[in-house]
Amino acid sequence: MSTLAPDTRSIAHPQRRVRHIMMHVMLALLPGTLLQAWLIHHRVLLILPVAILSALAFEALALRLRGKALRPALSDGSILVAAWLLTLCLPPTLPLWQLLVGIFVLAMLGKHLYGGLGHNPFNPAMVAYAVLIVSFPVTMTDWPAAPPEDSNRQQSLAWDGLSGATPLDQLRQLRLQQVSPGLVVMADTASGSAPSVDRAAADTQNSLASYPETAQNLIMHSSWKWVNLAWLAGGFYLLLMRIISWHIPLAVLSGVTLMYIGLAASSSGHALPPIPALLSGAILLGAFFIATDPVTAAASRSGKLVYGVGVGILTVIIREFSSYPEGFAFAVLLMNTGVPLIDYLLTGPAGRSRSDAS
Amino acid sequence: MALAKTCMKWLSLAARLRSGRTRLHGGLRLPRNKPGLPVSGAIRSLALPPQLILPLLDYRRDVLTPRVQPGQQVEAGQRLAPGLIATARGRVVAIEARPVIHPSGKSALCIVLEPDADQAHETACHEPLSSLTAERLDDCGVQGLGGAAFATADKLRSARQGDAPLQTLLINAVECEPQIACDEALLMCEAAAIINAIESLMQATQCRRCVLAVENDKTAAIDAIRHALQEHPLDLELVLLEPVYPAGAERSLIRRITGLSLPAGERPARHGILSVNVATALAAHRAQLGYPLSSRVVTVSGEGLPEPVNVRVRFGTPVAEVLRQCGYSAASGNHRIRANGPLSGFDLPSLQAPVTASTNCLGIHPVESLPAVLPCIRCGACEEVCPEQLLPQQLYWYAQADDLPGSRRFGLDSCITCGCCDLVCPSSIPLTQSFRHARDAQREQARQERMAELSLQRYQAREQRLQDRAAAREEKRRLAKAQLNTSRDPIADALARARNRRKPHASPRNAASQPSASAPRPETPATDAPEQDNPPEDRSS
């Protein structure tokens, strides 16, 4: 040991280790995960352990292949968090072998190909998600239909057997139908997906002007709302524990809100009102848990703001103008590619004062 | 592009607004743990060791040239080298390389002094002055006792010559680092003398505002100062600060007291601010009274000591001797000795190194293993605590890659190596150590560039000199030739010269028959001589 290092041992300052950070993140994920298992599909409780165990196995394999010590990397908890986040983005009914493919991509290609924890330029969970949704589009969009909020438990048991789409996916179908009804039929038959448009939506789909109301009804009366509120609560826990800073979540949420306000002002009335927009899809989970992954996000405060706003804007663009129901994963991956540039341009006060002086 | 530029402009504007605030950014509330504060009375002075070792180094770590010889008897306060005075009366026994307090355990040329007995108390060796002068500070060898050991006389001179008249005299008693209590002990025991010292500094500098900054949890010290101020009223602002580490760092302290953000590397004197450690102020006052600066208060704490103490140690006392007199025995366990505090200090490789003006603390700690270093996850914890608002994790990448321009872009020059980032890093990355290495590398590179510039100048000067000489020679030859050419008849001239030469001696017979030989003659000595002259010239340059 060199003697130049400050002596952190002789000062009784509580030092938070990497595994403590990861434990806090998992703790914040727990309520939302349980709600998702209860309200959406109980299979979440099956695929989550499978994902975590297989992630540990792949991580161990990767470490072995790279000739690294197993213990520090396996005990830091980072692979657990990544696998957990990926699982939450997957439909619970996904076949297990596809889940294993996803975990393989996450651990091997997303993380260790670049040199392991701290060296990966892309969020590993989102890399795995992108690979899965491109490779298995049918099963990846085949979500169990969430029971409406007001239905009692018996009804919801009946709902369990059905498969369907998330409110966001329903909205996309609805939008396409309004633009050209024939196209949706073709899309439906082509993808072979289950009856796409909810009955409640079908009742009110007659006019273009009613789209925002339909959307509001779909989202605000879906069980997903509670799951998303649980992510919000978990996010506040992370903020309180100072695991994440407020910059990225706030920037993502404001980016999304601004885009929807802009869409509402400019276009054909296809825009969601802000509150349902923020409660839809993976926005809250992503804003607090995925975009805040420190390894792949920008470093300085101003950089974090730019990064977050970029993620929010890209999410809405992909979601509204592409054929994918949700754009958060691609938005994060796209902004990840921009992080080195953001870090180079926005270096924080020190870099700015230097460039001012010179 | 225009949009990006606008964004940058807004961001820099926001940064400027933020930098104007006076709160300390970041920092940590660490357990204070101020050991060995005196319950009552005076600070104990340690006995003189058998040998005092005085390193021939100044605060820039430049080597000093000794003015004394081995075997010579010297008086206390006598100048041994520029900037170095004898801290006791005695005999110089050797001038040789000895280990000094340095993380590398390196040796440096030291004057080894055997002090005479009967010198328990320091004695005045100059007449008291009515007002403090820089010359007196020089004569008494007064150095900053806050850590950097900057020559106080230079500080006073630069404050007087500053661009702006001296606005603020800042007496720094913010001893923010845990486990160091020497300034606090001084405040508690010598409050009255400190008030006198501040008064004399105020008179010497003619400052408009004088601030004494202390943390607000040093209640005993604050009470002592308030009591002394009641007995000796003085136009002194007592500023109480939150006990946050590193509140005592000069630049952040100036920012909080005056609201002025100094750029990295800029002396406060240029902005009309003189910032002095409280112990230095006291030393300056004692210099005015005629006492040379030959000792300081050192906190000795840690395991293996019966109790932690603050003691007055004569400069040059070996660390081992200090520890022995404080009751430490090396047999009590496997310990490492850390100088200058847990955060800004370093472990001492050799206990024979002597205490100097910058040694404020000696800590005895058990030898423990370090936590494993994990990869950086860019969590930003270091950024939150950085008092200079840097991005330590980014700076770390550039420092690790030996990328000096990149490191400077991320604020290597502003880093005060306080160690806050190390304390919070969840991966236990030795950030500060890499910054210190990078800074050393930068200094080394700057030194080499300076040397290269100097040798280039020397080379160019020599080339110029040689050219000038050649040109002068050419000129002389041209003149000689011109003279030859102007004479109407070279043969007649040569004949005349030969005739002149023949006059005292017997003349060669056929001098007149060889007129052509005389023409090249001025040329030959002119070209030969400088070539023989050159080598001695080179040596002198």
Side-chain angles (χ1 to χ4, degrees):
Chain A
M1 174 225 158
S2 165
T3 50
L4 274 175
D7 186 9
T8 52
R9 293 157 292 176
S10 69
I11 295 177
H13 180 72
Q15 198 172 9
R16 185 186 264 161
R17 307 279 297 166
V18 172
R19 62 171 178 277
H20 300 148
I21 295 178
M22 299 298 173
M23 257 152 58
H24 280 296
V25 175
M26 288 190 268
L27 205 59
L29 283 172
L30 201 58
T33 312
L34 292 178
L35 265 183
Q36 194 166 332
W38 186 42
L39 293 174
I40 309 300
H41 202 294
H42 51 71
R43 205 161 173 270
V44 170
L45 294 181
L46 170 69
I47 64 168
L48 185 62
V50 171
I52 284 180
L53 288 177
S54 57
L56 283 175
F58 279 125
E59 172 104 338
L61 177 67
L63 289 168
R64 197 64 185 275
L65 289 175
R66 293 178 58 211
K68 301 268 174 186
L70 295 186
R71 212 185 148 79
L74 284 180
S75 63
D76 66 21
S78 60
I79 193 73
L80 301 186
V81 170
W84 194 324
L85 283 172
L86 174 66
T87 312
L88 293 177
C89 302
L90 302 178
T93 51
L94 191 76
L96 284 184
W97 70 271
Q98 292 181 359
L99 175 73
L100 290 183
V101 170
I103 298 294
F104 170 81
V105 171
L106 182 150
M108 295 294 204
L109 306 187
K111 192 176 175 188
H112 281 284
L113 196 66
Y114 294 106
L117 179 66
H119 299 92
N120 47 308
F122 299 107
N123 188 321
M126 293 301 101
V127 171
Y129 179 88
V131 168
L132 285 178
I133 201 161
V134 171
S135 312
F136 313 113
V138 177
T139 47
M140 280 294 287
T141 49
D142 189 17
W143 282 80
E149 200 184 355
D150 47 1
S151 69
N152 59 34
R153 190 70 193 144
Q154 258 184 336
Q155 271 174 312
S156 76
L157 278 176
W159 273 85
D160 261 0
L162 300 177
S163 65
T166 60
L168 214 56
D169 209 21
Q170 292 172 336
L171 283 177
R172 188 174 60 87
Q173 306 276 4
L174 179 62
R175 216 161 50 227
L176 285 171
Q177 208 165 33
Q178 282 173 347
V179 175
S180 60
L183 210 76
V184 163
V185 176
M186 272 167 57
D188 276 350
T189 47
S191 69
S193 71
S196 54
V197 183
D198 189 51
R199 254 166 252 103
D203 290 342
T204 47
Q205 63 167 302
N206 302 325
S207 71
L208 267 172
S210 68
Y211 175 87
E213 287 139 52
T214 318
Q216 181 140 14
N217 282 335
L218 264 176
I219 288 164
M220 298 308 277
H221 292 139
S222 155
S223 313
W224 278 107
K225 179 182 70 179
W226 296 110
V227 179
N228 277 322
L229 286 176
W231 301 142
L232 183 65
F236 275 115
Y237 171 76
L238 291 186
L239 281 174
L240 275 179
M241 299 307 292
R242 304 179 71 89
I243 303 288
I244 59 174
S245 71
W246 54 268
H247 301 80
I248 290 180
L250 186 80
V252 171
L253 299 183
S254 50
V256 169
T257 313
L258 285 177
M259 275 302 282
Y260 273 115
I261 290 174
L263 279 178
S266 68
S267 76
S268 50
H270 271 169
L272 285 167
I275 297 293
L278 294 181
L279 282 174
S280 68
I283 297 286
L284 286 173
L285 176 67
F288 285 99
F289 291 92
I290 297 174
T292 50
D293 167 29
V295 174
T296 54
S300 67
R301 281 153 218 218
S302 47
K304 278 177 181 159
L305 291 176
V306 171
Y307 171 82
V309 169
V311 168
I313 291 175
L314 284 175
T315 302
V316 179
I317 291 177
I318 295 169
R319 182 192 266 195
E320 296 295 320
F321 300 106
S322 81
S323 60
Y324 291 105
E326 177 57 296
F328 205 90
F330 294 107
V332 165
L333 291 176
L334 281 172
M335 287 311 291
N336 284 344
T337 61
V339 162
L341 181 66
I342 296 174
D343 277 349
Y344 182 78
L345 289 179
L346 303 173
T347 55
R352 279 202 298 276
S353 62
R354 281 210 63 76
S355 60
D356 283 354
S358 60
Chain B
M1 203 56 222
L3 186 73
K5 265 186 188 161
T6 322
C7 285
M8 294 294 289
K9 211 164 134 189
W10 273 103
L11 285 171
S12 66
L13 189 70
R16 230 167 287 154
L17 281 176
R18 285 161 61 105
S19 63
R21 71 184 171 176
T22 52
R23 199 171 66 82
L24 175 75
H25 179 274
L28 285 171
R29 274 177 185 272
L30 298 175
R32 299 287 282 162
N33 188 16
K34 293 294 190 185
L37 289 173
V39 184
S40 64
I43 297 170
R44 176 162 76 99
S45 294
L46 292 189
L48 275 179
Q51 281 193 339
L52 289 169
I53 302 158
L54 303 169
L56 282 162
L57 292 173
D58 71 356
Y59 62 92
R60 285 181 297 256
R61 301 217 153 260
D62 286 346
V63 178
L64 308 171
T65 319
R67 289 183 185 171
V68 289
Q69 301 290 328
Q72 193 175 331
Q73 185 74 19
V74 294
E75 288 298 315
Q78 183 181 335
R79 189 169 295 253
L80 303 178
L84 181 71
I85 57 155
T87 55
R89 172 164 43 81
R91 196 170 59 88
V92 175
V93 289
I95 299 178
E96 61 188 19
R98 291 287 182 102
V100 294
I101 290 200
H102 191 270
S104 73
K106 75 168 185 179
S107 294
L109 207 57
C110 297
I111 293 180
V112 183
L113 196 67
E114 242 167 38
D116 300 348
D118 69 293
Q119 291 186 82
H121 298 287
E122 296 167 35
T123 46
C125 56
H126 300 279
E127 290 298 308
L129 289 178
S130 61
S131 142
L132 192 62
T133 61
E135 292 68 39
R136 172 52 69 86
L137 291 176
D138 257 343
D139 289 342
C140 289
V142 180
Q143 291 169 288
L145 297 174
F150 194 83
T152 310
D154 292 350
K155 220 171 190 176
L156 188 65
R157 281 191 197 104
S158 65
R160 281 181 182 160
Q161 293 161 0
D163 298 348
L166 193 70
Q167 299 284 346
T168 310
L169 174 64
L170 180 55
I171 310 291
N172 188 349
V174 185
E175 197 175 34
C176 51
E177 187 154 342
Q179 301 173 18
I180 305 179
C182 52
D183 288 351
E184 191 174 357
L186 210 55
L187 282 173
M188 286 164 71
C189 296
E190 296 177 25
I194 286 172
I195 294 300
N196 286 334
I198 293 175
E199 188 179 28
S200 83
L201 264 181
M202 284 167 78
Q203 281 169 359
T205 56
Q206 298 292 317
C207 63
R208 300 197 185 157
R209 178 186 178 207
C210 182
V211 177
L212 174 64
V214 197
E215 296 114 304
N216 59 17
D217 64 341
K218 291 179 176 170
T219 43
I222 294 167
D223 287 348
I225 287 291
R226 289 219 165 109
H227 184 71
L229 272 176
Q230 269 174 4
E231 297 195 342
H232 187 141
L234 197 62
D235 185 18
L236 173 72
E237 266 179 71
L238 190 61
V239 173
L240 304 181
L241 300 171
E242 292 285 297
V244 178
Y245 177 82
E250 188 172 67
R251 228 169 333 137
S252 70
L253 188 61
I254 287 174
R255 192 158 59 223
R256 291 170 77 182
I257 300 290
T258 66
L260 201 71
S261 287
L262 295 185
E266 185 136 315
R267 295 268 158 77
R270 284 198 56 190
H271 298 271
I273 300 164
L274 180 64
S275 149
V276 185
N277 174 270
V278 64
T280 317
L282 196 57
H285 183 55
R286 282 175 61 82
Q288 185 186 343
L289 299 178
Y291 291 89
L293 175 60
S294 52
S295 68
R296 69 160 296 142
V297 181
V298 180
T299 305
V300 186
S301 69
E303 303 194 352
L305 274 187
E307 55 181 322
V309 280
N310 283 285
V311 286
R312 191 167 272 286
V313 181
R314 203 73 68 100
F315 295 155
T317 310
V319 168
E321 178 71 18
V322 176
L323 297 180
R324 192 186 63 75
Q325 291 198 30
C326 291
Y328 169 73
S329 70
S332 63
N334 192 11
H335 291 127
R336 61 197 166 86
I337 312 297
R338 196 170 177 86
N340 301 357
L343 290 167
S344 29
F346 43 86
D347 289 357
L348 281 179
S350 165
L351 296 190
Q352 293 311 310
V355 167
T356 63
S358 54
T359 315
N360 48 19
C361 169
L362 293 171
I364 303 160
H365 301 292
V367 178
E368 293 162 352
S369 62
L370 286 170
V373 176
L374 299 176
C376 172
I377 57 165
R378 315 204 330 150
C379 65
C382 47
E383 176 201 346
E384 272 174 37
V385 297
C386 178
E388 294 294 322
Q389 305 190 51
L390 308 179
L391 291 173
Q393 40 135 331
Q394 294 285 94
L395 180 55
Y396 175 70
W397 288 122
Y398 287 95
Q400 284 294 92
D402 289 331
D403 179 352
L404 274 183
S407 304
R408 298 190 67 187
R409 219 175 96 78
F410 280 90
L412 180 64
D413 300 334
S414 311
C415 175
I416 57 172
T417 62
C418 60
C420 283
C421 43
D422 283 53
L423 278 178
V424 298
C425 179
S427 297
S428 309
I429 298 171
L431 292 155
T432 307
Q433 178 183 322
S434 77
F435 303 154
R436 288 182 180 156
H437 275 306
R439 178 169 297 173
D440 285 352
Q442 186 185 354
R443 289 204 181 125
E444 179 59 22
Q445 192 187 337
R447 196 184 65 82
Q448 280 180 1
E449 274 169 13
R450 211 170 53 232
M451 299 302 280
E453 178 64 26
L454 269 180
S455 42
L456 180 70
Q457 280 174 6
R458 270 204 303 271
Y459 173 74
Q460 282 172 342
R462 172 171 180 267
E463 286 290 294
Q464 186 63 42
R465 210 167 45 243
L466 289 184
Q467 258 177 24
D468 287 352
R469 198 177 300 153
R473 212 159 51 225
E474 195 61 35
E475 180 70 13
K476 209 165 139 192
R477 204 176 71 183
R478 201 181 53 77
L479 280 179
K481 255 187 177 165
Q483 233 171 12
L484 278 177
N485 289 345
T486 47
S487 53
R488 281 151 313 203
D489 186 359
I491 298 173
D493 281 356
L495 280 175
R497 275 203 299 279
R499 226 174 280 127
N500 284 344
R501 215 178 302 142
R502 204 187 310 162
K503 258 180 197 166
H505 320 285
S507 65
R509 237 180 347 165
N510 52 355
S513 64
Q514 291 175 334
S516 57
S518 65
R521 188 179 277 172
E523 207 173 332
T524 333
T527 46
D528 284 353
E531 273 168 18
Q532 291 159 356
D533 284 347
N534 265 348
E537 273 295 325
D538 282 353
R539 245 175 283 137
S540 70
S541 61

